[in-house]
Amino acid sequence: MSNYTQLNPHDHHQHTQATVLCCNCGVPMDGSTGLVMCYDCIKLTVDITEGIPREANLSFCRNCERFLQPPGQWIRAALESRELLALCLRRLKGLNKVRLIDAAFIWTEPHSRRIKVKLTVQGEALTNTIIQQSFEVEYVVVAMQCADCAKSYTTNTWRAAVQIRQKVQHKRTFLYLEQLILKYNAHIDTISIKENKDGLDFYYAQKNHAAKMIDFLNSVVPIKSKKSEELISSDIHSGTSQYKFSFSIEIVPICKDDLVVLPKKLAKSMGDMAQFVLCSKITNTLQFIDPSTLKIGDLSASVYWRTPFLALSDVTQLTEFIVLDVEPTGERRGRWLLADITVARAADMGVNDKEYYVRSHLGGILHPGDSAMGYYLANSNFNSELYDALDTNNLPDVMLVKKHYARSNKRIKNRQWKLKRMANEHKDLVAEEIVDSRQARQEAERAERDYELFLQELEEDPELRQTVNLYKSDAPRQYNNDDIEEMGDDDEEDDDAPQIDIDELLDELDEMNLGE
């Protein structure tokens, strides 16, 4: 029996694919597509980006640091941000003729006033032929002035003002508040900032911008606010009126390290604390510590203003003591260690043998031979009804506040870090109000002394440093000779002050924007 294989008649003809040669490079290619050039040659000879400019302009206001989004909107956009990339793409004509695949910034030096963007697009080069190409676009940043900033240089243009005041003898709180404002850009919407003898004034074009500043202040310092308004104009036909709003902000007149006597009822409501305490921390609340027991109590701003009280003494009245002996009790709370400490006034050393025995919260950082700053209460008289009501027989003769570090002149003059200060439109009204040049010089010296004390506090308190931005210093700060003589000994060997690690410092170039 024979075996037969049935064949498909269609198998008699083997189909072979027709090929043609590229008219440009001669590479074999599929002839069924109807093309006469290969894909690579099409990419080289056909430009689908024709009509899309390689250069464009971006308008930038150096004062408020905003970019113009035509026709008249000004927006905030950081370098290499999504917002800035979207603005660059909108400014590019002819981009709608192709399909955008990818867009990314190419790094340029911040001062160059140039922004480069690499684009990848797809488009139809020939019939039924889609190709992909990449190209770069360079944007020139053109500096100009927006309408809002132009108004700020004319008089009577503000519609809301925030006046911040604190009734104390130093500016430490305002120096700290200034750093918080700069860190979080809370002054972004201001059209003018003026410095007053007792505080700062912020001016705004809109009421809601002033309300944002008040919300920020409420979140960082204990305040109370009062609102007032003034009618500017009124249209009886349309029923519209124009007002100017003023917000008066008063910061609690108590600062860190102040000596305080709490009202008796308030002390009991704070966990039965002692009335004679130190202010240990200022945020949007007040924190007090009893150095003899390590009890800590918090007081909100609203409760304080119901029963306000003043500090007995502030840091300008501290006295230097020499630590003779430290005996820890073993009781600890956070970074504080309770200890019995024997001290003597630095001014009494070599004069008499008067010693004082103090129970303090500084047992963890003080050692025999160290210097400490504290309040000398043995011969002090205070004009305070709360203090007069206390049993003075049970009050300590000395209350230690913090460790004292010796700083050499070289350390002070050559700090490797610095702080940013408020905007250039800061206007020093203190010097303008004082006619007497001698008094003006004294005010300037006091402001310089307050600033140096604030810098020293940042060096000594790591927790405080975390709340502000510190920057690498390009050049040392300049001091008057009189200031340097008051600030410390010239002996570099006695310099035991803590230093700020370079890892904690920011580089201004990293945060630099086009307006700087």
Side-chain angles (χ1 to χ4, degrees):
M1 185 175 179
S2 300
N3 294 327
Y4 295 94
T5 304
Q6 187 175 2
L7 299 177
N8 191 335
H10 297 286
D11 292 340
H12 288 288
H13 303 282
Q14 297 292 333
H15 291 283
T16 58
Q17 188 175 11
T19 60
V20 295
L21 299 181
C22 173
C23 67
N24 190 33
C25 64
V27 172
M29 49 182 280
D30 185 6
S32 62
T33 59
L35 299 176
V36 294
M37 277 195 299
C38 65
Y39 182 77
D40 292 334
C41 291
I42 292 176
K43 287 180 63 177
L44 292 174
T45 57
V46 180
D47 185 10
I48 62 172
T49 65
E50 187 178 2
I52 302 177
R54 297 300 193 269
E55 289 187 356
N57 292 336
L58 290 176
S59 298
F60 177 76
C61 178
R62 286 182 294 185
N63 190 38
C64 63
E65 302 175 0
R66 294 185 298 177
F67 288 91
L68 174 63
Q69 179 173 294
Q73 183 183 5
W74 291 84
I75 63 171
R76 300 194 185 281
L79 289 179
E80 300 192 4
S81 64
R82 285 187 174 185
E83 294 80 7
L84 184 57
L85 184 59
L87 178 60
C88 291
L89 296 179
R90 291 194 195 100
R91 296 287 293 159
L92 206 57
K93 297 179 180 179
L95 197 59
N96 57 343
K97 299 177 182 178
V98 293
R99 180 186 177 190
L100 181 64
I101 300 300
D102 186 36
F105 286 104
I106 300 174
W107 187 88
T108 55
E109 205 279 327
H111 291 292
S112 66
R113 302 282 180 181
R114 297 293 186 272
I115 297 175
K116 291 185 178 181
V117 180
K118 182 179 180 181
L119 303 176
T120 303
V121 296
Q122 283 184 351
E124 189 174 29
L126 301 173
T127 305
N128 298 326
T129 305
I130 304 297
I131 64 172
Q132 181 171 302
Q133 290 180 339
S134 297
F135 63 101
E136 296 179 6
V137 180
E138 182 177 290
Y139 294 86
V140 179
V141 179
V142 180
M144 59 181 297
Q145 192 177 69
C146 67
D148 293 336
C149 292
K151 288 181 181 179
S152 67
Y153 290 101
T154 59
T155 58
N156 302 321
T157 57
W158 61 273
R159 287 293 176 264
V162 178
Q163 301 172 333
I164 309 174
R165 300 290 184 267
Q166 187 185 34
K167 298 175 182 177
V168 293
Q169 297 298 318
H170 55 82
K171 291 184 175 292
R172 287 169 59 234
T173 301
F174 282 104
L175 291 171
Y176 177 60
L177 181 59
E178 178 187 35
Q179 295 306 312
L180 292 177
I181 291 174
L182 288 170
K183 179 175 181 177
Y184 296 104
N185 285 328
H187 64 308
I188 276 295
D189 297 316
T190 57
I191 61 174
S192 179
I193 304 173
K194 292 183 180 179
E195 187 174 353
N196 192 281
K197 184 177 181 180
D198 298 322
L200 296 171
D201 295 340
F202 295 82
Y203 296 92
Y204 299 90
Q206 299 179 28
K207 179 185 174 183
N208 61 333
H209 292 162
K212 284 173 57 179
M213 171 59 85
I214 295 173
D215 291 340
F216 173 78
L217 294 173
N218 261 316
S219 66
V220 295
V221 286
I223 63 170
K224 72 172 180 179
S225 61
K226 182 180 179 181
K227 173 186 171 184
S228 61
E229 58 186 43
E230 176 187 357
L231 179 65
I232 302 174
S233 62
S234 179
D235 187 349
I236 60 174
H237 301 289
S238 61
T240 58
S241 301
Q242 296 287 336
Y243 290 90
K244 276 188 174 181
F245 299 91
S246 295
F247 298 90
S248 177
I249 307 297
E250 185 175 353
I251 303 176
V252 169
I254 294 177
C255 302
K256 185 174 178 288
D257 297 333
D258 282 0
L259 181 63
V260 175
V261 176
L262 299 173
K264 191 171 184 179
K265 290 184 179 179
L266 188 60
K268 284 190 173 294
S269 67
M270 295 169 61
D272 201 18
M273 285 189 68
Q275 291 181 253
F276 207 59
V277 294
L278 288 174
C279 180
S280 58
K281 189 177 181 181
I282 297 287
T283 55
N284 56 348
T285 62
L286 300 168
Q287 186 182 92
F288 300 100
I289 184 171
D290 181 359
S292 61
T293 62
L294 299 186
K295 278 190 175 180
I296 294 178
D298 292 318
L299 180 65
S300 65
S302 58
V303 175
Y304 171 85
W305 290 114
R306 284 202 292 267
T307 55
F309 54 89
L310 299 176
L312 285 183
S313 298
D314 58 39
V315 292
T316 60
Q317 299 166 300
L318 290 175
T319 303
E320 184 180 354
F321 294 89
I322 304 300
V323 179
L324 304 178
D325 188 29
V326 179
E327 295 182 6
T329 64
E331 185 176 350
R332 179 182 290 275
R333 180 162 186 173
R335 59 174 176 163
W336 308 123
L337 175 64
L338 198 63
D340 292 323
I341 303 177
T342 305
V343 298
R345 279 203 308 170
D348 293 339
M349 298 297 289
V351 179
N352 57 52
D353 298 328
K354 185 68 175 177
E355 297 179 356
Y356 301 93
Y357 300 93
V358 186
R359 177 155 286 191
S360 174
H361 60 303
L362 303 178
I365 59 175
L366 291 181
H367 305 90
D370 287 345
S371 293
M373 303 300 291
Y375 294 106
Y376 183 56
L377 307 173
N379 297 325
S380 299
N381 292 317
F382 299 104
N383 184 18
S384 170
E385 295 181 359
L386 293 174
Y387 180 78
D388 295 338
L390 296 176
D391 182 7
T392 55
N393 295 325
N394 294 326
L395 296 181
D397 292 332
V398 174
M399 184 172 284
L400 299 180
V401 176
K402 60 182 180 179
K403 184 176 179 178
H404 176 64
Y405 297 94
R407 285 176 170 83
S408 66
N409 294 346
K410 185 176 180 180
R411 165 75 70 87
I412 293 174
K413 291 187 291 183
N414 298 315
R415 279 193 175 97
Q416 300 303 310
W417 60 277
K418 65 180 180 179
L419 298 174
K420 280 187 177 180
R421 301 306 303 270
M422 200 67 85
N424 293 331
E425 56 264 32
H426 242 119
K427 190 176 182 182
D428 189 2
L429 299 184
V430 177
E432 290 185 357
E433 293 176 355
I434 300 173
V435 179
D436 186 5
S437 60
R438 181 181 177 183
Q439 188 177 356
R441 187 169 59 254
Q442 291 175 347
E443 291 290 339
E445 290 174 355
R446 188 176 68 174
E448 183 70 21
R449 195 178 305 113
D450 289 343
Y451 188 63
E452 172 60 27
L453 289 174
F454 178 62
L455 297 182
Q456 293 180 9
E457 191 173 355
L458 287 174
E459 289 177 334
E460 298 169 9
D461 192 343
E463 187 177 344
L464 183 64
R465 288 202 299 271
Q466 293 177 0
T467 62
V468 302
N469 287 340
L470 307 177
Y471 298 90
K472 297 176 183 176
S473 178
D474 298 325
R477 263 183 6 109
Q478 299 297 322
Y479 286 89
N480 298 326
N481 292 332
D482 296 338
D483 294 331
I484 295 175
E485 290 177 2
E486 294 180 6
M487 288 173 188
D489 198 306
D490 218 0
D491 188 1
E492 194 171 346
E493 294 181 357
D494 293 338
D495 191 341
D496 61 348
Q499 297 189 23
I500 297 179
D501 196 290
I502 194 170
D503 293 336
E504 299 182 55
L505 305 181
L506 301 175
D507 194 333
E508 273 192 289
L509 289 177
D510 294 340
E511 292 196 348
M512 186 174 293
N513 47 41
L514 292 169
E516 294 179 337

